Amino acid sequence: MDAPTLAGPPALPETETHCPYCALQCGMTLAHDGASWGVKARDFPTNRGGLCRKGWAAAELLSAPGRLTAPLIRSGPGEPQRETTWAEAIDFVVTRMRALIRSYGRDSLGVFGGGGLTNEKAYMLGKFARLVLGTKNIDYNGRYCMASAAVAAQRAFGVDRGLPFPLSDIPGAGAVLLVGANPAETMPPLMQYFDEQKKRGGKLIVADPRKTPTAALADLHLQLTPGTDAALGNGLLFVAIRDKLIDEPYIAERTRGFDFAKRAVASYWPDRVERITGVPAADIVLAARTLGNATSAMVLSARGAEQQSHGVDNVLAFTNLALALGLPGRQYSGFGTFTGQGNGQGGREHGLKADQLPGYRKLSNAADRAHVAAVWGVAEDDLPPPGLPAGELFDALGERGGIRALWVMGANPVVSAPKAAALEERLARLDLLLVNDSFLSETAALADVVLPVTQWAEEDGTLTNLEGRVLRRKRAVAAPAGVKSDLEVMKLVAEALGRGHHVETEPQAVFEELRRASAGGKADYAGISYERIEHEHGVFWPCRSEADRGTERPFTERFWTPDGRARFHAVQYRPPAEEPDDQFPFYLTTGRIVTHYQSGAQTRRVASLAGAEPEAFVEIHPSTALGLGIADGDLVHVITRRGRAECKARLTQGIRLDTLFMPFHFSGAGRANTLTNDAVDPVSKIPEFKVAAARVERAAALHL
Ligand code: SF4
């Protein structure tokens, strides 16, 4: 018998909610005018009435073509996917899982989640993997996004909270250094804070290989060579020390390890750093003095510095700088990092990661295991050990002793993973690829089973934005018949496996359990409730009890290390895994553009966004293009050691002569991640999305 479909309430005329996309989580009102859904901006503390074009078009996603409303199944290799019933789909999945468990053990099942999943779904997926499937192998796509920043923040400050202050502190900063961040395109409403900061006389410095729309607004643009961020950070610290800009009382009272960092940067004098980074020595000195002489200052990083094979070192070079200047924990000052995905912050707190339990607890810590096991009503021994991080999990797909079945929820790794063509081959080796999605993403198209699930406005749940503010997206729209929520799907599979009691399907009930599981952890949500979120414009974690007002600025008194002091780290610049050579003479770097979000699985289906930016392109400097006989709009091939992509050339003065840029939102021939390097940072395991050696050729030239 088929399972019942989700029974949605009638559509409400207006619902105050949040955007389906990035970590700014702009407040918006979803309204129905009698004919269709539309979006109105809302005066929420983060966006203060602003939305970007993705947000304005968010309602279009609800009626976008290609919505899945029935499960799809592929009966055998080479067979096409066909529609089926929920009963057949779940039976197929569970039968295969049981067979795999019998033959290969529970760790042959893998789970890959997404940073867009609500806190409730992320939490439940971690529990589901470990208690229902009984596997240790779960990780998520935040490994590709925030992992370096997370490790560096843990090491420097003792906790990973992207921004340890609210966005409203930014206008008070006398100087801001953005490292590898382009919020003018990725989070346009955020720019109002920098506009205000500049209006008050503050200075904005941007370090980026491209003259992005953000860099174009800067007082000083440090156009560094891709992969040289750590050298730049060390160079800035060298000048700060040499010119006596550092805050010695702060260093003495609030930090440890300054001498190690000082010795490590002793050889990073400006002329040498200019040779490494390409940034003029005078600009390095000016940047350091601007930050060091400001009464308040911020250093903020993002994926440009972090998605590298030395991403952790890159970030630590800048936490060192911020600490030496006495910034973290001070008013209108600090170090922070911009989280990218909608719930990238919450998604990395509650158990989606390979080594983690809810509340930033650790699977390797006995006390942490005991706490969570008690909340879950199981013995501590029932919890598996830490599993494989994403890259290693993907490497193990189809391997002897590796992963035989993979369940993907809220992710599209066929477009977003590095060296993506190789991943496609590995996915094809699986005995079972299962994907939950609202649309047939590129990953879903390869699956043995696709389960159609609710999307943002059709479900309730909380997300934690880039500030550490927990907020609530509300259900506004009835889901189409035939569609279920991810929580309901987990419940069906759990019941079929005889473990249904572990899974709750009502989001608020899941959140109540999450509160208990996270209580006492670093990311403590014990005092946060749906009601408080509603009445207080969101609540900042940690929030340890209902009497606790939440924590906007966690480092004011002390850092979260055992002794309360932040840590310096000795960082040395090391080149990226691949540097240009005769065969591949350019740096290829990748990133986001204003019209699309992540793998484009949603935004490429929104007509107004797809129409504005329908296909991939590669940015090339006009002088470089001239030498290669490439004109603006020419079809070109971008080639790396992983493969080739075909797209149009877009000539721009805003990029370095030695650098190419491709957006990573597109699939097919223009897929940037066909080209990227899967070399990873040794600690965070983040792949080197931002640096690959490449060449570019006119497509026609290949056929001469
Ligand atoms: S995509 Fe991000 S910046 Fe744009 S409206 Fe949505 S939350 Fe705001």
Side-chain angles (χ1 to χ4, degrees), residues 19 21-22 24-26 51-52 54-55 187 189:
C19 177
Y21 302 119
C22 83
L24 192 55
Q25 280 302 294
C26 294
L51 292 175
C52 77
K54 295 185 288 293
M187 300 178 175

Side-chain angles (χ1 to χ4, degrees), residues 19-21 25 113-119 121-122 140-142 341-345 347 352 409-411 456 459 462-463 473 486 597-598 602:
C19 177
Y21 302 119
Q25 280 302 294
L117 296 176
T118 61
N119 286 320
K121 293 198 283 189
Y140 83 130
N141 65 8
Q341 296 190 78
N343 196 31
Q345 177 72 57
L352 267 186
M409 199 177 291
W456 65 292
E459 58 188 17
T462 61
L463 297 96
R473 260 198 221 147
D486 289 310
Y597 175 67
Q598 301 301 88
Q602 294 158 296

Side-chain angles (χ1 to χ4, degrees), residues 364-610:
S364 55
N365 179 295
D368 287 355
R369 292 170 66 90
H371 172 87
V372 175
V375 173
W376 288 353
V378 298
E380 194 193 318
D381 287 348
D382 291 341
L383 300 180
L388 298 171
E392 290 171 34
L393 188 143
F394 284 161
D395 285 346
L397 297 181
E399 294 292 324
R400 184 183 292 272
I403 309 288
R404 309 296 314 182
L406 185 70
W407 194 344
V408 177
M409 199 177 291
N412 187 17
V414 164
V415 177
S416 61
K419 205 173 166 184
L423 174 62
E424 277 185 80
E425 285 168 20
R426 286 195 212 104
L427 291 173
R429 289 190 223 148
L430 290 171
D431 296 304
L432 175 64
L433 175 60
L434 170 60
V435 175
N436 283 22
D437 212 317
S438 305
F439 299 94
L440 195 66
S441 70
E442 288 76 6
T443 307
L446 301 178
D448 300 294
V449 179
V450 184
L451 300 176
V453 290
T454 46
Q455 57 166 318
W456 65 292
E458 298 161 359
E459 58 188 17
D460 249 316
T462 61
L463 297 96
T464 306
N465 81 346
L466 76 174
E467 304 166 287
R469 185 196 304 260
V470 184
L471 43 80
R472 188 175 155 209
R473 260 198 221 147
K474 289 189 203 151
R475 189 177 187 191
V477 181
V483 164
K484 296 183 187 303
S485 73
D486 289 310
L487 293 171
E488 289 173 314
V489 173
M490 283 186 256
K491 180 82 169 178
L492 285 175
V493 173
E495 284 175 339
L497 288 169
R499 298 184 178 194
H501 60 288
H502 288 307
V503 178
E504 177 58 63
T505 56
E506 279 307 311
Q508 190 166 4
V510 177
F511 190 78
E512 292 301 312
E513 189 183 306
L514 182 159
R515 290 173 67 180
R516 295 195 299 279
S518 71
K522 284 185 173 175
D524 188 336
Y525 283 34
I528 305 176
S529 65
Y530 274 27
E531 292 73 26
R532 284 192 66 183
I533 293 171
E534 182 85 24
H535 294 124
E536 298 173 29
H537 287 309
V539 181
F540 289 81
W541 69 260
C543 180
R544 298 186 173 89
S545 71
E546 290 186 2
D548 182 348
R549 63 181 293 275
T551 313
E552 287 180 298
R553 299 173 186 84
F555 304 148
T556 310
E557 305 292 332
R558 66 194 307 276
F559 296 99
W560 290 30
T561 53
D563 61 8
R565 291 172 181 239
R567 299 287 192 272
F568 283 94
H569 293 267
V571 172
Q572 290 296 340
Y573 161 71
R574 285 168 292 151
E578 234 182 35
E579 290 203 284
D581 55 23
D582 289 348
Q583 211 185 346
F584 299 100
F586 299 103
Y587 294 97
L588 171 69
T589 191
T590 63
R592 285 170 52 187
I593 55 175
V594 70
T595 35
H596 289 290
Y597 175 67
Q598 301 301 88
S599 78
Q602 294 158 296
T603 50
R604 283 187 278 116
R605 291 183 162 79
V606 174
S608 61
L609 301 176

